[in-house]
């Protein structure tokens, strides 16, 4: 069964500091996604990672993918308060039926302190 | 491009009633997804469509749940004989296969269901 686990579940960090969120998944995946969710809001797509070694950056966030290790990371550089949110990774997995299954991680609730 | 829209945004119903939610995807998107999210959890996949075909259905989707996308455009999610455990946010997303952003999902605002 495909499982997606994130670490840590909760993260409180000071402004200006760097930190990394980890996303492990249990089986082969075709694509890995990172999303942001603000309280009471829907999900906003941040990154789509398609292949081993893929790295994408937007502002203070950088995501990478290691398909051999089944690991993705979301690195936060010089955190600012506006980055406070819950971050989800998600994978889709091709099934022998020819369809896809989509699994989200547990989420990492990030709070950036001034 | 007005984004993914969902209607209603909030629904309060009594246990045992039927409810139907609507999702309008981004116009050129051929895939449409339904998820359920409870407080403090990640979205749980329910089902997805490619055009009008329903391609995958989660075991979470009991026989009380049904989804349709009759003309490959908007979709409806119906819950029959609602139970208190159905209380959640129901999220719709859509996507299209487009190069580097292959099947990137764009989410709607969600429909919050409360079953009393």
């Amino acid at each position: 069964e495909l499982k997606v686990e994130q670490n840590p579940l909760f993260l409180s960090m000071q402004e200006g500091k760097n930190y990394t969120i980890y996303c492990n998944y249990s089986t082969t995946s075709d694509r890995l996604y990172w999303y942001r969710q603000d309280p009471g809001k829907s999900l906003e797509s941040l990154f789509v990672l398609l292949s081993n070694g893929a790295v994408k950056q937007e502002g203070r966030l950088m995501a990478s993918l290691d398909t051999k290790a089944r690991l993705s990371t979301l690195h936060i550089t010089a955190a600012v308060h506006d980055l406070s949110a819950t971050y989800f990774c998600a994978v889709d997995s091709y099934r022998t039926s020819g369809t896809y299954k989509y699994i989200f991680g547990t989420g990492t609730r990030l709070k950036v302190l001034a | 491009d007005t984004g993914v829209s969902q209607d209603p945004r909030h629904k309060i119903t009594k246990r045992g009633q039927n409810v139907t939610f609507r999702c309008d995807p981004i116009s050129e998107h051929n895939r449409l997804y339904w998820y359920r999210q409870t407080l403090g959890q990640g979205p749980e996949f329910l089902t997805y469509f490619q055009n009008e075909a329903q391609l995958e259905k989660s075991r979470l989707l009991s026989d009380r749940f049904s989804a349709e996308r009759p003309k490959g455009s908007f979709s409806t999610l119906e819950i029959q004989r609602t139970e208190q455990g159905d209380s959640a946010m129901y999220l719709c997303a859509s996507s299209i296969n487009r190069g580097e952003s292959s099947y990137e999902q764009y989410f709607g605002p969600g429909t919050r269901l409360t079953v009393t």
Side-chain angles (χ1 to χ4, degrees), chain A residues 40-55:
Chain A
K41 304 288 187 180
S42 191
L43 281 81
E44 174 191 356
S45 177
L46 295 174
F47 302 109
V48 181
L49 302 171
L50 300 177
S51 60
N52 186 44
V55 177

Side-chain angles (χ1 to χ4, degrees), chain A residues 44-79:
Chain A
E44 174 191 356
S45 177
L46 295 174
F47 302 109
V48 181
L49 302 171
L50 300 177
S51 60
N52 186 44
V55 177
K56 290 197 174 179
Q57 184 166 2
E58 180 74 32
R60 301 175 187 274
L61 301 177
M62 183 174 71
S64 66
L65 178 62
D66 180 344
T67 57
K68 294 180 181 177
R70 296 178 184 168
L71 171 69
S72 179
T73 60
L74 181 67
H75 186 73
I76 303 159
T77 301

Side-chain angles (χ1 to χ4, degrees), chain B residues 24-63:
Chain B
D24 286 87
I26 294 171
S27 58
E28 71 269 25
H29 285 190
N30 60 343
R31 285 194 176 176
L32 186 147
Y33 314 78
W34 284 101
Y35 295 87
R36 179 179 71 184
Q37 187 177 28
T38 52
L39 195 64
Q41 302 296 315
E44 295 175 289
F45 170 75
L46 294 177
T47 188
Y48 86 96
F49 294 84
Q50 179 151 311
N51 300 314
E52 65 275 7
Q54 187 173 19
L55 296 187
E56 186 69 28
K57 191 174 173 180
S58 167
R59 284 173 291 181
L60 290 171
L61 216 64
S62 73
D63 56 6

Side-chain angles (χ1 to χ4, degrees), chain B residues 4 7 14-15 17 19-21 35 37 41 44-45 53 58 67 73 76 86 95-96 106:
Chain B
V4 178
D7 183 68
K14 292 184 178 179
R15 188 177 55 188
Q17 298 294 305
V19 294
T20 299
F21 308 143
Y35 295 87
Q37 187 177 28
Q41 302 296 315
E44 295 175 289
F45 170 75
S58 167
S73 56
T76 57
D86 297 332
S95 72
I96 189 169
Y106 294 83

Side-chain angles (χ1 to χ4, degrees), chain A residues 2 25 27-33 48-52 54 65 67 70 90-96 98-102, chain B residues 31 48 99-100 102-103:
Chain A
L2 178 58
Y25 53 98
T27 189
T28 56
S29 170
D30 293 286
R31 287 170 283 268
L32 189 133
Y33 309 84
V48 181
L49 302 171
L50 300 177
S51 60
N52 186 44
L65 178 62
T67 57
R70 296 178 184 168
V91 300
D92 61 28
S93 182
Y94 185 73
R95 308 186 76 190
T96 54
T99 61
Y100 285 86
K101 187 171 181 179
Y102 299 87
Chain B
R31 285 194 176 176
Y48 86 96
E100 282 292 303
S102 179
Y103 291 118

